[in-house]
Amino acid sequence: MGDIARQAPEKDTGEDIYQYLLERITNLENRNLELREQFRQMESEKRYVETQKIRYERELRKLKSEIEQLRSPPLVIGTVTDVIDNSRVIVRSSAGPRFLVRTSQLIDPDLLKPGVRCTLNQQSLAIVDVLPTSYDAQIYGMELVESPEETYENIGGLEPQIEEIREAVELPLTKPQLFEKVGISPPKGVLLYGPPGTGKTLLARAVAHQTNAHFLRVVGSELVQKYIGEGARLVRELFDLAKQKAPSIIFIDEIDAIGAHRNDSTTSGDREVQRTLMQLLAEMDGFENRGDVKIVAATNRIDILDRALLRPGRFDRMIEIPLPDHQGRLAILKIHTLHMNLSEDVNLSEVSRLTEGKNGADLRAICMEAGMFAIRMERDSVNTDDFMKAIDKLALDFDRHHFHTTFGEMFA
Ligand SMILES: Nc1ncnc2c1ncn2[C@@H]1O[C@H](COP(=O)(O)OP(=O)(O)OP(=O)(O)O)[C@@H](O)[C@H]1O
């Protein structure tokens, strides 16, 4: 600035004035360049702030819709008993009482006939939807796979557990005569317990693959939360379907949601859970041991399970699925990097050492993230640096998730 503001020469010979103006022009040009550079930097900062803003807005929208979902009340199931006119029908709710309710204009009045099952809004009891009369696994969030693709080779570090489940589930399905000859009953149900993401679902799917059995998966919490008053009925239908599709493996994930230790509380939610559990126990008891339907359940909370579930003839085999140790992590990393193009510098044993305490699902995520870092750097092989960044990113995501969960709980 000082240069630009320099005083004009006192002696105004033509040469001096020319020199002075030349210098002034150069200074102004330099200053112009400086300002342009500053402008460019500010533009790029502005762009960065704008993208950050978009990211936060997106995150906000996601969180809002999550809150919305959590707040949306479950639906009540009912059966139409009488139709008054196009907008009013009498419905018997699954909890017992009958109501005169309104129907949404979106529902085709021709569908509303006595005997039809429908869902009702929990507060207004207005009819929200009509359920198909025939059994539809998808409605209830059941997953039915003809024969899953996972094999024992896709499971890392659980050799003793694989052996156990083969003996308890696979052998009775493939060689029932062995048990008959010896005169013992094979286990009816197997309970897999341990921390989340350690491969319990994977193990159950692999057994179904090995035995060419249908794989039917239900989630305990969904059985009792999605459609009030339907838990017991769903359990009954689940077993019917499994028998129909035999050989089959019923996989009940989060069994603790229906099989937690009972206490004396009598809220309607608790009664619903109890009815569902009683139905499950009844189904298991009335079940042919030597049949070709096997039940595998999984839980992260064996400590809260009702002992009734663990009695002989029910889940009489318990298999612990622990967090993987160093060798286990190495085996899992090998599985998830099998088809990846790894640079020579990658030492999976070192990656395993740096991921102590991580489960199989985390390790899979680390491998995928490492691959993403390589893609971002426009490389076609994954190197050690990518793995290090992926490990850091996972730790960061974990902290963020933890923060959101705690934050969410504060407002729950
Ligand atoms: N031992 C393992 N070997 C290979 N992959 C694994 C292993 N454990 C977990 N994974 C990976 O993590 C994913 C999630 O694991 P899975 O759903 O089987 O865990 P889970 O124990 O059933 O968890 P949850 O208790 O949360 O239901 C699997 O699909 C698989 O890709």
Side-chain angles (χ1 to χ4, degrees), residues 392-410:
D392 284 349
K393 180 166 188 295
L394 197 88
L396 210 71
D397 285 350
F398 174 81
D399 287 346
R400 206 175 294 144
H401 175 77
H402 192 65
F403 169 75
H404 280 317
T405 318
T406 324
F407 192 69
E409 275 163 6
M410 275 162 57

Side-chain angles (χ1 to χ4, degrees), residues 191-325:
L191 179 73
L192 308 177
Y193 67 97
T198 43
K200 295 183 283 298
T201 311
L202 193 61
L203 192 54
R205 290 174 73 93
V207 187
H209 169 94
Q210 191 70 21
T211 50
N212 269 326
H214 275 93
F215 180 77
L216 269 115
R217 173 175 179 263
V218 285
V219 181
S221 57
E222 285 182 10
L223 278 181
V224 285
Q225 279 164 12
K226 216 164 175 184
Y227 295 106
I228 297 169
E230 287 286 282
R233 182 192 149 108
L234 283 176
V235 169
R236 211 167 37 244
E237 291 193 353
L238 173 70
F239 277 77
D240 285 349
L241 186 70
K243 285 176 209 159
Q244 210 181 322
K245 300 273 180 192
S248 52
I249 289 174
I250 297 178
F251 180 64
I252 309 176
D253 209 351
E254 294 179 24
I255 192 161
D256 42 282
I258 48 171
H261 178 62
R262 276 165 288 172
N263 49 29
D264 296 332
S265 53
T266 47
T267 64
S268 63
D270 289 334
R271 280 198 299 274
E272 163 76 3
V273 170
Q274 276 187 27
R275 271 199 301 270
T276 312
L277 175 62
M278 294 320 264
Q279 186 66 37
L280 175 66
L281 297 179
E283 292 289 344
M284 287 188 84
D285 291 345
F287 207 58
E288 174 56 52
N289 281 45
R290 290 167 206 188
D292 40 12
V293 177
K294 292 283 159 224
I295 310 153
V296 179
T299 180
N300 308 324
R301 295 291 317 269
I302 191 156
D303 54 314
I304 60 166
L305 274 198
D306 195 316
R307 297 284 120 192
L309 272 169
L310 311 177
R311 289 215 193 103
R314 293 175 180 165
F315 291 103
D316 36 21
R317 275 288 180 104
M318 291 192 274
I319 306 179
E320 185 181 3
I321 314 288
L323 274 177
D325 59 8

Side-chain angles (χ1 to χ4, degrees), residues 22-33:
L22 210 59
E23 226 174 274
R24 203 163 147 69
I25 288 172
T26 321
N27 284 340
L28 282 171
E29 272 174 352
N30 285 344
R31 180 66 187 149
N32 189 17
L33 280 179

